């Protein structure tokens, strides 16, 4: 079932929306083992180390875009989320024609200035990567928040969290990233 804004889209944009909505999974490519780098993100958030979070987030995004064989993305982690009357901005994807796309994520809430929860941060980062994959992997002319989009985000984040849990549990079969 399309979200409410679907009815306001042009016929061409509705076709893009429907194509996006039909893609309901985004599995990690074979051979991607990002558990250790995802654990590094968790550790750096816990240490309140913005530079460390940015370095680990960039390593994760580099691994993902490399595995999906799409153009690179530059990751920027900033301290405090911007906010207005509409709420807080969690992440931002900025595609760049002819240049490297950029993802910006924030590691502190706007109101309380607290470090965001690890899972929230990871899901935000994956969400923004999914926008990039809509353009570069699925060749969609636009990236919409569809049910399919959220399912792709969820399957990818779930796979990364499963790998991180194995590393956190000390699974000796998992190589360190």
């Amino acid at each position: 079932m399309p979200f409410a804004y679907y009815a306001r889209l042009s016929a061409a944009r509705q076709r893009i929306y429907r194509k996006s909505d039909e893609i309901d999974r985004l599995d990690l490519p074979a051979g991607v083992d990002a558990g250790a780098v995802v654990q590094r993100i968790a550790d750096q958030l816990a240490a309140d180390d913005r530079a460390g979070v940015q370095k680990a987030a960039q390593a994760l995004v580099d691994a993902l875009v490399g595995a999906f064989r799409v153009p690179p993305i530059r990751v920027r982690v900033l301290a405090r989320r911007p906010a207005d009357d509409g709420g807080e901005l969690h992440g931002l994807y900025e595609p760049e024609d002819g240049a490297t796309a950029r993802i910006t994520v924030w590691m502190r809430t706007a109101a309380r200035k607290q470090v965001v929860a690890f899972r929230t941060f990871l899901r935000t980062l994956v969400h923004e990567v999914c926008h990039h994959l809509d353009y570069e992997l699925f060749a969609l002319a636009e990236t919409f928040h569809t049910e399919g989009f959220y399912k792709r985000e969820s399957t990818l984040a779930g796979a990364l969290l499963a790998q991180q849990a194995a590393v956190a549990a000390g699974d000796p079969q998992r190589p360190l990233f």
Side-chain angles (χ1 to χ4, degrees), residues 17-169:
Y17 182 105
R18 287 190 307 272
K19 185 175 178 184
S20 171
D21 202 34
E22 291 171 1
I23 308 166
D24 63 358
R25 288 196 62 81
L26 184 59
D27 296 317
L28 277 174
V32 173
D33 192 349
V37 75
V38 173
Q39 183 61 49
R40 266 200 337 257
I41 292 171
D43 294 343
Q44 296 304 309
L45 280 168
D48 194 9
D49 180 351
R50 190 208 55 79
V53 172
Q54 180 168 309
K55 185 176 179 183
Q58 185 68 64
L60 175 60
V61 170
D62 289 347
L64 292 173
V65 298
F68 284 114
R69 296 185 175 148
V70 297
I73 310 169
R74 193 177 60 208
V75 177
R76 183 171 66 161
V77 175
L78 299 179
R80 187 171 155 214
R81 292 177 182 160
D84 61 17
D85 292 339
E88 296 183 10
L89 184 61
H90 291 222
L92 180 65
Y93 172 70
E94 298 172 280
E96 295 292 330
D97 289 332
T100 303
R102 180 172 60 194
I103 289 174
T104 303
V105 288
W106 289 269
M107 64 176 277
R108 293 185 164 283
T109 62
R112 294 187 175 188
K113 302 175 189 143
Q114 296 173 322
V115 173
V116 299
F118 158 66
R119 285 177 171 259
T120 300
F121 183 88
L122 182 67
R123 285 192 172 276
T124 301
L125 185 62
V126 168
H127 178 99
E128 303 308 330
V129 169
C130 285
H131 283 302
H132 185 68
L133 296 175
D134 276 1
Y135 290 121
E136 302 296 342
L137 182 65
F138 301 118
L140 299 173
E142 288 189 67
T143 177
F144 289 109
H145 290 136
T146 65
E147 282 188 57
F149 178 91
Y150 288 115
K151 288 177 182 178
R152 294 190 297 278
E153 172 193 312
S154 184
T155 56
L156 183 57
L160 292 169
L161 287 167
Q163 287 187 351
Q164 180 261 340
V167 168

